[in-house]
Amino acid sequence: MYRQRGEDVFVVDAHVHHWDASEENTKNDGGEQFIRCFYDYHTGFTPDDREWTLEEYRKYSADRMVEDLFGNGAVDMAIFQPTHLHEFYKEGFNTVDDNAELVDQYPERFIVNGRFDPRDGEAGKEELERQKEEYDVDGVKLYTAEWKGDSKGWRLDDEETFEFLEKCSDLGVENIHAHKGPTIRPLNRDAFDVADVDDAATSFPELNFIVEHVGLPRLDDFCWIGAQEPNVYGGLAVAAPMVQNRPRKFGEIMGELLYWLGEDRILFGSDYALWNPDWLVELVMEAELTPAQRDEYGVELTTEVMKKVMGENAAGLYDIDIEEKKKALQSDAISEQFGLGDDYAADATAD
Amino acid sequence: MSGVSPTGDAPSDATSPPTSAVTPRRGAVLNALDDVTDPELDRSIVELDYITDIDLDDVPCDGGATVHLSLPTAWCSPAFAWLMMTDARAAVESLPGIRRARVVLEDHVHESELTDGINNDRPFDEAFDDADGDLDAVRQELDEKARIVRQHRALDALLDAGATPGQLVSLTTDDVRFDPDGPKSERAIVSVADGAVRLCVPRDSVVDYVEKAESVGVDLDSGPLFRTPEGDPIPVDDFDLVRRRGRLASVNMRGQGGVCAQLHESRKLHESRKRQRSREAESAD
C-alpha cells in the first residue's frame, strides 16, 4: 500500500502482463520486432538505472513479477490483461490460461481477464464461455490490431464484435478493455481510430469500456467520446510513465482527462513489464500540476483524486470492497513473504 | 525559412535562389525539406531530426538528390511515412536545378516497400497489398487536426492581445493584415470592433493557421476565419468549448510528440551502443 501524508492509498494496477517473448517462443520477425518495439517503449520511459536488459525483458519469472509488484512496488492487487499474439509467438505472448495459474497461486492479489477475437466465430464464443466458467472473468482485453491469417485487425463496431459483446453482457463480463493507441502495424487509418468505441459504448450501456493508453495518439478523440459516453473509462498505461521524463506533458494529459472524464473514470496501470510499479507508483503519486496547469484546468492531483485513480475506480469496476480486501490481504502468502501484514492491519488506517 | 541552420555547405541565400545552372547546395535542399511536416505532429521533419543524410549528384545541370530519412521507430505508421516521403520528394524536386529526387527510408520494417514505392511512383495500395483505407483521407484527417491546433495557437495569441470571444468568432480574413512573404519576426495586425481596435500578434500564429485552413478546404472568403472542429462558424456561446477542444487537440499532439521524441532518442542510444559494442568486438579480435 502506498502512503501519502498519513493516508493509505490502495493500489490496483489495472494493467499487467506476464509474457514470454523468449527466442524459443518467438515464431517470426513479427514477434521479434514486436518485443523490440516494446523494449523501445520500456527504455524510452524508464529511469536509466531501472532499465532491464533485453534478455531480462524477453521473459521474466513469476517470482520476479510478484516481487516487483508487491514486494518492491506498492501494488496491492493487479489485473492481468492477456495478449495472445499466436501469430507471433508459438505458445502465445501472455495468455489467459498462463495468467490464471498466477491467480490460482495468489487468489487475493491477481485478477485475470479473458479475451476474445470476433474472427474466431462460434468457437470463440465457446472459448469465452469457458473463460467465464473456469476463471470467472469479469472483463476482457481486446487487441483490435492483432493479426490473424490475412486480417490485420478488426473493429469494436463490427457486426461480429457486437455478437461477442452481447455474449459478454449475457455472461456478466462487464469490463471491456480495448487496446487503443500504439499499434503494431497501423497500415490503415482504422488502427488509430477510437470512433468504434463510441458506437459500442452507446449500444452496450450495461458494459464498461476502458480505453487503454487513453487513446494516445488520439487522446482528443478519446476524451471527446468519453465526455459523451458515461460508460467509457481511460487506462493510464503509456501516459503514466511520461511522468518520469516528460512531467509537464503528463500534467497536461491528467488535466485533460480530469476535465473531460472526471476523477471517477481514470484507471492507473503500469503495463508491467513495460514499466515497473516499483518506481512508477511513487512518481505518479507525487506528481503535481504546474500552477499554470492548475489555473487552466481548475483541478489538482490531490490525495483524494489520486486514491480514486490508483485503486478505487478499478475496485468499483471489479467489485472489490477495499476494506474487506485489506483484511484478506493481511495474512495471504504475499504478505507473509514480504512482511506486509501490518500495512493492512485496521489500526494502520486510523488517523 | 525557419530557424534551421543548414549544416554542411554554405547556407542558401534566400534572395538569389539557385538556378538550373548550378547544383543547388545542401542548405537549399534542407530548407525545402523544412517545409515538410510529420503530419501527425505538424512539425518540420528537419526540426524533428528525421533527415539523416543528403547526397547531391556532382553533375551540374542534371541535378539529382537523394534524401535519407529515419523515423522514431521501425514501426512508425507506413501511411504517415508515405505522406512524408511523397512531400519530401516533391519539395526537393521543386528546387531549380534538381530534376530528380530520391527519398530513402532507413531502419524501418517496411523500408523497402516504402522506398521502392515512392521512388517508382507506385500508388500506396500497390506498394502495400494489405493496405485498406484511403491515404487521402488519412492526410485530410491529420491536416484537420493540425488546423484545430494551429487555430488554438492563433486564438490564444489574440486572446492574449486583448480580443474578446465575441470579436474572435466574427473575424474574417479581411480583418487580418500581414505580409505573406515577410520575415517571421514580423507581427500581423488584426482589426476588431469594426476596425476601431487593432491588435498586434505574432505573424506566424495567424499565417500558419490560414495556410492550414486553406489546405483543408475551409472557405475563408465566405465565412468567418475561425471555425468549430467540424468547420462551422462558432456560435459565441460555444467559444469556450471550441477553445477547450483546441487545447485538447494541442495536448494530444504535444503528448504524442513527446512519445515519438523519447522513442527516437532511445533508438539512437541503442544504435550508438550497438556500434560501440561492435567496435569493441572488432578491437578485441
Side-chain angles (χ1 to χ4, degrees):
Chain A
M1 219 154 23
Y2 193 79
R3 182 164 273 226
Q4 188 173 54
R5 291 183 276 279
E7 266 204 71
D8 284 340
V9 180
F10 190 86
V11 178
V12 180
D13 189 336
H15 196 142
V16 300
H17 305 285
H18 184 220
W19 69 55
D20 179 2
S22 61
E23 282 171 21
E24 303 77 62
N25 193 34
T26 303
K27 217 173 179 176
N28 47 30
D29 280 352
E32 182 59 23
Q33 284 157 353
F34 185 84
I35 190 66
R36 283 176 182 268
C37 173
F38 264 36
Y39 189 62
D40 283 346
Y41 274 92
H42 166 73
T43 55
F45 292 95
T46 294
D48 289 347
D49 57 343
R50 309 309 291 271
E51 274 181 28
W52 292 15
T53 65
L54 181 59
E55 286 317 303
E56 286 175 285
Y57 194 72
R58 284 180 188 277
K59 187 179 181 178
Y60 44 93
S61 68
D63 288 347
R64 176 173 194 163
M65 178 171 188
V66 162
E67 189 171 352
D68 282 341
L69 263 54
F70 309 114
N72 302 326
V75 175
D76 300 294
M77 293 184 71
I79 304 174
F80 277 118
Q81 305 291 355
T83 319
H84 279 203
L85 299 175
H86 282 289
E87 292 278 310
F88 286 170
Y89 300 100
K90 291 172 197 157
E91 304 295 330
F93 185 61
N94 170 40
T95 67
V96 179
D97 293 325
D98 287 346
N99 293 164
E101 283 177 25
L102 270 172
V103 181
D104 240 14
Q105 210 175 333
Y106 304 106
E108 298 295 345
R109 297 285 177 167
F110 285 111
I111 290 171
V112 65
N113 271 339
R115 51 83 72 181
F116 68 74
D117 184 327
R119 297 166 299 189
D120 292 340
E122 285 309 309
K125 285 179 203 148
E126 281 163 28
E127 168 59 18
L128 188 59
E129 279 170 14
R130 181 189 74 90
Q131 291 166 8
K132 180 68 192 177
E133 227 162 81
E134 268 183 48
Y135 308 128
D136 194 25
V137 296
D138 285 331
V140 282
K141 170 78 189 292
L142 305 180
Y143 205 82
T144 54
E146 188 161 345
W147 290 14
K148 187 179 171 67
D150 289 339
S151 161
K152 303 291 187 238
W154 49 279
R155 291 174 58 91
L156 287 175
D157 55 4
D158 289 339
E159 203 179 307
E160 298 77 26
T161 312
F162 269 37
E163 288 175 21
F164 277 81
L165 291 174
E166 194 72 61
K167 186 98 208 163
C168 284
S169 181
D170 292 347
L171 293 170
V173 177
E174 288 173 358
N175 300 317
I176 314 296
H177 293 254
H179 173 109
K180 286 288 176 184
T183 49
I184 45 176
R185 193 175 185 248
L187 260 186
N188 58 49
R189 57 197 294 242
D190 294 345
F192 278 111
D193 203 359
V194 290
D196 56 344
V197 176
D198 199 357
D199 285 351
T202 311
S203 304
F204 295 91
E206 71 278 25
L207 301 178
N208 308 308
F209 290 83
I210 303 96
V211 173
E212 298 299 343
H213 318 302
V214 292
L216 273 170
R218 291 292 176 268
L219 176 74
D220 47 350
D221 298 337
F222 163 68
C223 285
W224 185 237
I225 291 166
Q228 292 156 67
E229 306 291 340
N231 54 335
V232 168
Y233 296 71
L236 277 183
V238 177
M242 290 177 97
V243 72
Q244 187 257 135
N245 43 10
R246 309 264 166 182
R248 188 177 288 268
K249 291 197 167 76
F250 174 77
E252 284 181 344
I253 291 171
M254 286 303 288
E256 294 293 347
L257 290 169
L258 288 167
Y259 178 78
W260 295 99
L261 274 78
E263 60 195 49
D264 298 325
R265 290 195 279 146
I266 307 170
L267 272 65
F268 170 74
S270 67
D271 222 340
Y272 183 87
L274 271 149
W275 298 286
N276 199 330
D278 73 354
W279 57 266
L280 183 60
V281 169
E282 183 178 357
L283 288 185
V284 170
M285 278 305 302
E286 301 307 321
E288 284 181 14
L289 302 184
T290 64
Q293 287 171 345
R294 261 177 249 152
D295 284 352
E296 176 67 39
Y297 295 106
V299 296
E300 280 198 61
L301 305 180
T302 61
T303 305
E304 283 316 301
V305 167
M306 293 313 288
K307 275 171 83 168
K308 291 184 172 186
V309 171
M310 299 306 286
E312 290 172 6
N313 293 339
L317 292 182
Y318 284 85
D319 295 325
I320 299 162
D321 178 329
I322 291 179
E323 291 312 312
E324 284 302 309
K325 185 52 101 171
K326 283 182 188 169
K327 288 181 202 157
L329 294 183
Q330 262 185 63
S331 55
D332 84 326
I334 297 276
S335 284
E336 304 262 304
Q337 186 181 344
F338 300 107
L340 303 173
D342 289 348
D343 289 7
Y344 298 112
D347 58 351
T349 56
D351 261 342
Chain B
M1 291 294 165
S2 88
V4 171
S5 61
T7 52
D9 296 15
S12 71
D13 182 348
T15 57
S16 59
T19 66
S20 55
V22 296
T23 306
R25 300 206 177 268
R26 202 183 126 82
V29 173
L30 209 52
N31 270 339
L33 291 170
D34 192 40
D35 287 338
V36 177
T37 55
D38 178 323
E40 188 180 39
L41 308 179
D42 194 29
R43 284 174 62 196
S44 155
I45 60 171
V46 174
E47 182 197 333
L48 290 165
D49 204 17
Y50 292 173
I51 309 296
T52 56
D53 205 3
I54 294 170
D55 292 330
L56 294 174
D57 290 354
D58 290 335
V59 192
C61 305
D62 189 24
T66 305
V67 175
H68 297 261
L69 67 149
S70 168
L71 302 176
T73 74
W75 286 100
C76 286
S77 159
F80 299 174
W82 186 275
L83 296 176
M84 284 183 256
M85 291 170 76
T86 306
D87 293 352
R89 194 181 152 195
V92 177
E93 286 184 347
S94 74
L95 288 171
I98 299 269
R99 268 192 12 172
R100 175 117 178 83
R102 274 174 52 76
V103 182
V104 177
L105 182 66
E106 295 166 342
D107 306 319
H108 192 280
V109 292
H110 298 297
E111 58 188 30
S112 56
E113 291 101 315
L114 285 156
T115 301
D116 287 354
I118 293 291
N119 296 303
N120 295 314
D121 302 305
R122 299 173 65 194
F124 184 68
D125 55 4
E126 200 182 289
F128 289 96
D129 51 15
D130 52 0
D132 60 358
D134 169 6
L135 209 58
D136 290 338
V138 173
R139 187 193 285 276
Q140 180 75 15
E141 192 185 321
L142 294 169
D143 277 351
E144 277 172 13
K145 293 209 169 184
R147 179 192 76 81
I148 295 166
V149 172
R150 291 183 185 198
Q151 170 169 293
H152 183 67
R153 270 201 297 272
L155 287 176
D156 270 4
L158 285 158
L159 286 168
D160 277 353
T164 65
Q167 292 164 347
L168 291 176
V169 297
S170 55
L171 277 184
T172 67
T173 41
D174 291 342
D175 300 319
V176 183
R177 295 269 176 279
F178 59 85
D179 174 4
D181 302 314
K184 289 226 162 196
S185 56
E186 222 170 70
R187 317 289 282 180
I189 310 292
V190 179
S191 310
V192 295
D194 295 326
V197 180
R198 287 184 180 178
L199 303 173
C200 236
V201 291
R203 177 185 161 281
D204 283 357
S205 64
V206 178
V207 175
D208 289 351
Y209 167 68
V210 169
E211 185 187 286
K212 198 52 96 177
E214 282 172 344
S215 84
V216 297
V218 174
D219 183 6
L220 295 178
D221 294 332
S222 61
L225 184 61
F226 297 120
R227 307 292 176 97
T228 66
E230 290 74 27
D232 301 321
I234 305 171
V236 70
D237 289 347
D238 287 350
F239 179 84
D240 191 48
L241 178 64
V242 169
R243 200 190 78 79
R244 286 180 192 280
R245 289 180 71 184
R247 180 190 69 194
L248 174 60
S250 306
V251 168
N252 176 63
M253 200 177 267
R254 277 201 295 273
Q256 184 58 18
V259 171
C260 293
Q262 203 60 50
L263 292 174
H264 203 177
E265 219 169 88
S266 96
R267 176 178 190 167
K268 283 191 289 195
L269 190 69
H270 290 168
E271 274 157 19
S272 77
R273 280 183 194 157
K274 212 156 71 183
R275 277 197 299 276
Q276 193 178 347
R277 275 198 302 274
S278 70
R279 270 200 304 273
E280 283 165 7
E282 266 172 38
S283 60
D285 279 345

